[in-house]
Amino acid sequence: MPPEAEAWETLESAARMLFKLYGYREIRTPVMEETSLFIRSVGETTDIVQKQMFTFEDRGGRKISLRPEATASVVRSYLEHNLHKKGGLIKLFYIGPMFRSERPQAGRSRQFHQIGVEAIGSDSPYLDGEVITLMVKLFEEIGLKGYQIKVNSLGCEADKKKISRILKESLEDHLNLLCADCKDRLQRNAPFRVLDCKKQGCRSVVRMLPPVTDSLCPICQGHFQKVKETLELLGVAYVVDPYLVRGLDYYTKTAFEVVHPNLGAQDAIGAGGRYDNLVGDMGGPDMGATGFAVGVERLMMALGPKAKDLASLPKNRIFVATVGEIAYKKGMKLVELLRSSGIWSDIDYQKKSLKAQMRAASKSGCNYVIIIGDEELKRHIVTLRDMSTGKQSQVETNKIVKELKSLS
Ligand code: HAM
C-alpha cells in the first residue's frame, strides 16, 4: 500500500542507479522454474528444498516450483542464452518476488522480495570485495545504519568435504545437545546445516566446534585473505565469523551475511557469497561467480521509522480549485500544462464547493492551491495561495508555470 510501496519504489530506483554505475545490467527471470533446477543448485538437503518450496505439478505432469531465490535462475538463463560464450565477466542484477513456504513471522514472509546481483566469470577475490562493497553502498544510499557484515570462507569443494567430515565427527560428540532436526541433518550427512540452526542448544554446540577457517587449503586461505584486504582497502567494516555457513549448498570460498539488531530472530537483511562450481555443475564451463541478495521487507524493517522518509512525494504539490464550469475547464487545461511541465498537480472530480475543494487540498497535503473564479477569468489571472501561511497573490495565467517553478 502507499506510502510503503512508494518507499519500495525509491529503494528500487536507488538500487538500479547504483548497480548500473558498477556495470550491472538488469535481468528478469520467470517466477516459476522446473523444480529440478533448485534441487540441483540450492541442494537436496537444504531447508529450502526440503521444506520451503512451493512445488506443484502442471498440466503436462512437469514438476514446477515458485522460485525460492534467483541465483539458480540467473545461472540457468546465463547458460541458456550462451552468455558464457561471450567471454569476460557478466554482471547482472534483479529485483523481484521470491517464495518460500515458511511459517510467517516478523521478517519472514512466504512471498518476499529480493534485490540482488550476480557477477559470473571471475574467481577474483577483489570481485568479492566489490560485491560486498556494492551491498554496503546500497545501504548507505537509503540511510541504513547499525548493520554488521559477517564474512567467512567455506573453501573449495575439497575443503568443504574435509570441513564436512571434521564437523560431522565433532558434532557426533555432542549428539545429545542437538535438536531433532539437526540430528536428522547429521544423519543425512549435512553437518553444515547444523551450523545454520537457530535453536539455542545447537548454537551452543556450534561454538565448541573447530572454526571452519582452520581447515582451509593454502589457496583458499590466500583467497580469503585478499577478500578481507579488499574490504579494508575500500573502507568496509566487517567481522570474521568462522561458523557462518549459508542455507544453500552452492557456496564455495567466500560467504557473507549482513545482520541488523532491529530484526530479532530473522536478523539477516542480506547475504551472499561465491559459487565457483554452480555454472559447471549446471552443465556449463568452470566459471567463478559471486553475488548477493538483500531482502526488501527486512531492509525496510531495519530502517524502522526512517523507511517512511523514502516515500517522499514532490515537495510542491498544487491543487487547482475552481468555481463554475468555465473556470473548471480552464483549470483542467492548467493542470495538464503543469503536469507536462513536471509539476505535481490535481483538480477536483467530485463537484465539490470551493470550500470543500480547499479542505480536500489541505487534507491531501497540497502546499499550494491555485484558485480560478469569475474575477480571475475576467482578468486572465489566477490566485495562488500558500497553504502553510495562508498568503495569497495574483499571478498572470501565462506566468504561473514560471512562478511555480521558482518556488523553493
Ligand atoms: P538467502 O540468504 O537465502 O540467499 O536470502 C537472502 C535474503 O533474502 C536474506 O538475507 C533475507 O533478507 C531475505 N529472505 C530470505 N527468506 C526470506 C523470507 N522468508 N522472508 C523475508 N525475507 C527473506 C539467497 O537467496 C541467495 N540467492 C543470495 C545470493 C545471491 N548468493 C549469491 N548470489
Side-chain angles (χ1 to χ4, degrees):
M1 295 295 287
E4 218 181 320
E6 286 150 359
W8 280 43
E9 198 259 337
T10 306
L11 166 67
E12 289 164 5
S13 308
R16 281 201 169 85
M17 295 248 296
L18 188 67
F19 293 166
K20 283 183 194 165
L21 278 181
Y22 279 73
Y24 288 81
R25 299 181 68 190
E26 184 164 4
I27 179 167
R28 300 187 187 202
T29 66
V31 290
M32 288 185 285
E33 297 272 359
E34 283 183 16
T35 304
S36 58
L37 172 70
F38 302 113
I39 298 180
R40 271 193 296 153
S41 55
V42 174
E44 183 104 55
T45 62
T46 58
D47 278 3
I48 294 179
V49 166
Q50 288 285 320
K51 303 182 189 163
Q52 298 170 355
M53 284 207 298
F54 287 99
T55 297
F56 59 93
E57 227 170 67
D58 72 2
R59 284 170 198 267
R62 285 169 291 252
K63 266 196 136 180
I64 305 287
S65 293
L66 297 181
R67 61 179 185 194
E69 61 106 50
T71 310
S73 310
V74 170
V75 172
R76 179 200 49 69
S77 310
Y78 170 89
L79 289 173
E80 208 168 295
H81 294 274
N82 289 317
L83 299 188
H84 55 294
K85 292 193 179 141
K86 286 195 170 168
L89 178 64
I90 302 280
K91 289 173 155 184
L92 299 165
F93 76 86
Y94 49 86
I95 298 178
M98 309 291 155
F99 305 85
R100 295 184 193 175
S101 118
E102 304 180 77
R103 198 158 42 83
Q105 61 181 79
R108 195 200 258 171
S109 357
R110 284 174 293 195
Q111 172 168 344
F112 60 100
H113 299 77
Q114 283 186 348
I115 295 181
V117 307
E118 312 292 350
I120 309 175
S122 162
D123 54 15
S124 166
Y126 297 108
L127 183 63
D128 299 67
E130 185 195 88
V131 158
I132 298 172
T133 306
L134 176 54
M135 187 173 58
V136 167
K137 292 282 170 197
L138 179 61
F139 299 153
E140 280 176 6
E141 198 68 31
I142 57 161
L144 180 70
K145 298 213 162 59
Y147 53 85
Q148 186 186 46
I149 299 170
K150 296 182 184 173
V151 296
N152 194 18
S153 176
L154 308 174
C156 52
E157 211 47 54
D159 288 349
K160 277 175 80 178
K161 282 207 181 95
K162 187 169 123 199
I163 295 165
S164 175
R165 208 181 46 244
I166 295 171
L167 289 178
K168 193 163 182 235
E169 281 165 16
S170 312
L171 285 166
E172 271 159 1
D173 292 341
H174 307 285
L175 219 50
N176 55 331
L177 295 172
L178 296 179
C179 71
D181 271 352
C182 280
K183 281 185 188 136
D184 187 48
R185 284 168 181 143
L186 213 52
Q187 209 145 55
R188 280 188 285 119
N189 210 13
F192 276 109
R193 301 278 87 83
V194 178
L195 269 66
D196 220 17
C197 182
K198 301 275 184 274
K199 299 214 178 74
Q200 263 321 310
C202 303
R203 304 254 18 109
S204 62
V205 173
V206 167
R207 282 191 286 273
M208 293 189 263
L209 299 174
V212 167
T213 32
D214 282 4
S215 309
L216 299 179
C217 69
I219 292 176
C220 290
Q221 256 171 31
H223 191 279
F224 190 36
Q225 187 55 32
K226 282 222 162 68
V227 174
K228 292 185 285 184
E229 281 168 18
T230 311
L231 292 176
E232 280 148 34
L233 179 76
L234 300 178
V236 173
Y238 66 90
V239 293
V240 174
D241 177 352
Y243 299 109
L244 173 75
V245 291
R246 307 270 302 108
L248 305 100
D249 271 354
Y250 50 62
Y251 291 109
T252 50
K253 297 191 183 135
T254 318
F256 56 90
E257 199 164 86
V258 189
V259 292
H260 197 284
N262 283 5
L263 254 58
Q266 306 298 321
D267 63 354
I269 46 177
R274 179 159 280 288
Y275 47 95
D276 287 345
N277 299 324
L278 188 56
V279 179
D281 287 350
M282 283 171 55
D286 278 340
M287 269 296 172
T290 181
F292 73 77
V294 298
V296 175
E297 288 82 356
R298 292 199 195 166
L299 202 52
M300 291 301 182
M301 271 175 78
L303 267 177
K306 272 204 283 181
K308 275 211 302 284
D309 301 341
L310 292 183
S312 62
L313 286 167
K315 212 167 119 252
N316 288 328
R317 280 179 290 153
I318 320 297
F319 193 88
V320 177
T322 61
V323 187
E325 192 161 359
I326 299 173
Y328 186 77
K329 284 182 177 159
K330 273 253 178 230
M332 279 212 78
K333 276 191 83 167
L334 181 59
V335 283
E336 275 314 304
L337 174 70
L338 297 184
R339 288 162 179 169
S340 53
S341 310
I343 298 169
W344 191 109
S345 52
D346 215 349
I347 192 165
D348 169 56
Y349 284 103
Q350 293 170 307
K351 298 190 193 131
K352 285 195 171 97
S353 68
L354 182 63
K355 214 167 143 194
Q357 288 179 59
M358 299 302 283
R359 253 202 315 271
S362 161
K363 210 170 144 197
S364 66
C366 290
N367 48 348
Y368 287 93
V369 174
I370 288 174
I371 304 163
I372 311 175
D374 291 344
E375 184 63 20
E376 283 83 1
L377 284 178
K378 226 187 311 167
R379 293 174 49 204
H380 301 291
I381 57 161
V382 296
T383 298
L384 180 63
R385 181 184 173 92
D386 181 333
M387 295 297 274
S388 57
T389 60
K391 249 178 73 185
Q392 294 197 166
S393 55
Q394 257 84 51
V395 183
E396 283 175 47
T397 310
N398 57 9
K399 296 208 172 122
I400 187 66
V401 171
K402 208 167 152 210
E403 173 75 19
L404 291 175
K405 286 209 159 173
S406 72
L407 295 171
S408 58

